Amino acid sequence: MYGGSNYQRAVIDYVNELTANGMYAIVDLHWTAPGTAPATSLRSMPDEDHSSLFWKSVATAFADNPNVLFDIFNEPFGVGWDCWRDGCVYPGGPDTGPWQAVGMQALVNTIRATGRPSGSCSVGWRLPTI
């Protein structure tokens, strides 16, 4: 089964196969968890403990592949603009307690620091219904 470096290699190989055949691939960070908690569900925001390292690794792996696009975090929810942009201490839940969320700007900066063009990132903001 896949896990650790075997999982990473399988994703890299699959994405490279897609893009070698003229397709675009969107890689997103969907599930995260702070500290040693397992990533078993969608959290409101990416965690500071692991998310920057994830994007540094992904951006480095696909640095020369213009057909790979990054969706920085799938479906952030339940936070205000300042937390979304800059991160915040999230109150947590039954499995974690409070934890530090990383902001979208820090993740964009992490990706850009690898030399990846900035146009390859997408970040979304869910506006409340008025």
Side-chain angles (χ1 to χ4, degrees), residues 2-51:
Y2 296 117
S5 61
N6 288 336
Y7 175 76
Q8 293 169 354
R9 181 81 257 152
V11 170
I12 290 169
D13 291 346
Y14 185 67
V15 167
N16 285 337
E17 185 176 342
L18 291 173
T19 60
N21 285 288
M23 299 177 75
Y24 285 86
I26 299 173
V27 178
D28 82 312
L29 178 58
H30 205 88
W31 285 9
T32 66
T36 59
T40 59
S41 65
L42 181 64
R43 310 268 176 176
S44 62
M45 284 285 290
D47 69 291
E48 188 173 73
D49 296 334
H50 309 107
S51 300

